[in-house]
Amino acid sequence: MKDNNFNKLTKVLLYTLCGSIAAFYLYVIYLGFQPRVSDQYRAYYIEHTIPQWTG
């Protein structure tokens, strides 16, 4: 019976860890699609609308 409780606890902890890692990765992906950068950086690196970096 003791091993059974240990296995259940281990499963719960591993699922919690995996869920936390998945949530972190989703947050990083969200940040990648919503960058907080200056207008100059956005124009040069993201949109490619200016030919030369002004910064």
Side-chain angles (χ1 to χ4, degrees), residues 11-50:
K11 274 187 178 180
V12 169
L13 289 175
L14 287 176
Y15 277 117
T16 303
L17 177 66
C18 289
S20 300
I21 291 171
F24 173 74
Y25 283 144
L26 289 173
Y27 179 66
V28 169
I29 290 170
Y30 168 77
L31 290 178
F33 282 109
Q34 304 293 326
R36 295 182 189 173
V37 295
S38 69
D39 291 336
Q40 291 175 336
Y41 184 94
R42 180 179 303 279
Y44 185 75
Y45 287 108
I46 298 174
E47 297 171 354
H48 304 291
T49 56
I50 56 176

